[in-house]
Amino acid sequence: MTTNMISESVSETREILWDHMRNPRLVFRNLSCGTNSLLLAYLPYLVDKVILQQALLPYLERLPEEKLVPDTILENVPIAHVTKTMEYRQVSEYLVRGWIYLQMEGVAWGLLLYVAKIPSRSLGEAQVETQIFGPQVAFSESLETNLGVLQGYLSTDLLTNVSITIGKRSMTNVEICYMEELAAPENVQTVIQRISDLDIDGVIDSGKLVQLIDDNTFSIFPQLILTERPDHVSEALLEGKIVVFVEGSPFAIVGPSSFVDFFKANEDLYIRWQMASFIRMLRFSALFVSLFFTATYVAALTFHYEMIPSALLVSLVKSRSKVPFPPLFEALLLEMIIEFLREAGARLPFKVGQTIGIVGGIVIGQAAVAAGFTSNILIMIVALSALASFTFPSYMMSTAVRILRFPIILLAGIWGGFGIMLGASFLLIHILRQSSLGRPFFLPFFPFRLQDFKNSLIRFPFSSLSKRPVLTRSPDNTRMPDEVEKRPVQ
């Protein structure tokens, strides 16, 4: 059985590395510098060839023979990151990350030099969380690029990173970021412990990791936020939250998060507080419209005709006079058609998807009314419910609300208004029982915290937001003086 310790023979090292990796693209280069023999091993599609050809190889060729010793190379090689290794397993792990392995004949250890150039796209605009005001840049799939962008927003040495490798076969790098004096130690330890305890083959994206570390896997509601915006991550860190980056994913995980956080956009901080408060209340109103508007229509037509005004009742009777289906089946049919159109528009190419969404909705809606499958009023109600779900900044929360709409419609068709109240009560109890990294999910409403309420349904002026959220339990609770000097009114 081959030992894991590096041999003094470079030829033996070459054979063992080949047995370890079995990668046909693995390159071995033997360099003869006087009487010394050097071995270079690397994967050409992962290394920066410019650095290799113009910095590393010329340096080794120009180095005098008397200085061609591993310790001298370790101290003077023109590469930023160099580490010493004595194990083949470590060499294999580093080679697949873009490092170069260098070993000299007769020396039982080698050097790992970081010259990686991992293929990735450049920084671009946010595609999911679009906004009018504020920074427009979004994270990319490169972990180092994302950390560099974040450090550009927070130029402080308080920003701390903890590196963890997860996945027995994917060996994915994960970075846990937090502000040293602002993040609660128990929150940091919770995140580190949950990620370190994962025993899984591989994690490719943060969307998978967030499901592995949240508090309740069986809840339909997301308990940690996924964001592609560096400004959102920076604000979260300043509040004392924890941020997790995954190599290869453009989305960062932010926690702990409350239910209200999923309805707040970072753009709310860049506009006047009156405007931000109005928009937030509009989003929360859209939550109830999306969940209960269609269900109320079904309950009213099935059980509660007396709730409908007489003038509107006449219009409803005329609209439904040719519809052969009961309101429950009619509503579910239209909701399913809307979901088909939405999913088709999302999966098709961008320009084709827009066309399908607009033209398909109009054509199918008009055809359904003409054929007597549904009424005009229900088409309007279902369309408003669908539009309301698009107002949420979080796609995960929007999808959860879309799914919950169906059981509530079923309850409304079976028990009417009682069914709607039953579904609403169940949802409320379920939300009250949830937590995010051990913190109450329904803050600031339960338990009620006035300090966090100032930045929830409405956003108070910044002069009133002098304390950090109670949710994070930050050791440093103050972010600005309570008394802010104000200019005299002209």
Side-chain angles (χ1 to χ4, degrees), residues 166-241:
I166 60 175
K168 294 180 292 186
R169 291 175 172 83
S170 68
M171 302 298 292
T172 304
N173 291 328
V174 173
E175 290 284 340
I176 303 171
C177 302
Y178 60 95
M179 299 292 282
E180 182 66 38
E181 297 178 358
L182 304 183
E186 55 269 28
N187 290 345
V188 177
Q189 187 58 38
T190 297
V191 175
I192 294 176
Q193 189 67 39
R194 290 185 183 181
I195 295 178
S196 301
D197 289 345
L198 291 178
D199 186 11
I200 190 171
D201 277 351
V203 174
I204 306 302
D205 187 81
S206 55
K208 184 176 182 179
L209 178 62
V210 74
Q211 299 176 64
L212 294 169
I213 64 173
D214 59 11
D215 291 42
N216 185 2
T217 305
F218 297 99
S219 174
I220 192 172
F221 292 106
Q223 296 125 50
L224 298 171
I225 288 179
L226 286 172
T227 178
E228 61 176 340
R229 304 198 64 89
D231 56 330
H232 188 172
V233 169
S234 302
E235 290 289 347
L237 289 170
L238 291 175
E239 289 181 347
K241 296 184 178 181

Side-chain angles (χ1 to χ4, degrees), residues 19-172:
D19 291 336
H20 270 225
M21 303 189 66
R22 293 291 181 182
N23 190 328
R25 300 296 303 276
L26 182 61
V27 173
F28 294 100
R29 295 187 62 172
N30 291 307
L31 302 179
S32 296
C33 302
T35 59
N36 295 303
S37 178
L38 298 178
L39 173 67
L40 286 179
Y42 58 91
L43 291 170
Y45 52 86
L46 294 179
V47 303
D48 191 330
K49 295 180 177 60
V50 175
I51 298 178
L52 176 63
Q53 299 292 341
Q54 299 182 7
L56 180 59
L57 293 180
Y59 167 78
L60 295 175
E61 293 172 354
R62 292 194 304 264
L63 198 64
E65 185 174 352
E66 63 273 9
K67 293 185 177 180
L68 193 62
V69 292
D71 291 325
T72 302
I73 298 175
L74 177 63
E75 296 174 359
N76 301 296
V77 65
I79 303 297
H81 302 290
V82 183
T83 184
K84 180 179 177 180
T85 181
M86 302 180 68
E87 298 181 356
Y88 288 120
R89 184 177 300 278
Q90 185 179 15
V91 175
S92 302
E93 293 174 356
Y94 276 63
L95 285 177
V96 296
R97 297 177 184 174
W99 292 65
I100 288 180
Y101 176 65
L102 171 65
Q103 183 183 347
M104 182 178 296
E105 181 69 41
V107 180
W109 54 273
L111 299 178
L112 291 165
L113 307 103
Y114 183 73
V115 292
K117 190 177 182 181
I118 307 298
S120 63
R121 64 182 174 95
S122 59
L123 295 174
E125 293 187 6
Q127 300 297 318
V128 179
E129 300 173 86
T130 58
Q131 63 184 26
I132 299 174
F133 296 103
Q136 302 299 320
V137 68
F139 289 123
S140 71
E141 286 78 9
S142 173
L143 181 59
E144 290 197 352
T145 301
N146 294 339
L147 293 176
V149 171
L150 182 59
Q151 192 72 69
Y153 276 84
L154 300 173
S155 300
T156 172
D157 57 356
L158 295 179
L159 182 59
T160 304
N161 299 346
V162 176
S163 301
I164 300 177
T165 301
I166 60 175
K168 294 180 292 186
R169 291 175 172 83
S170 68
M171 302 298 292
T172 304

Side-chain angles (χ1 to χ4, degrees), residues 388-420:
S389 66
F390 285 121
T391 63
F392 308 148
S394 170
Y395 176 79
M396 300 295 291
M397 183 60 72
S398 174
T399 304
V401 172
R402 284 163 47 194
I403 296 173
L404 290 171
R405 191 187 305 153
F406 287 93
I408 292 178
I409 292 174
L410 282 173
L411 290 172
I414 297 173
W415 289 309
F418 174 76
I420 295 177

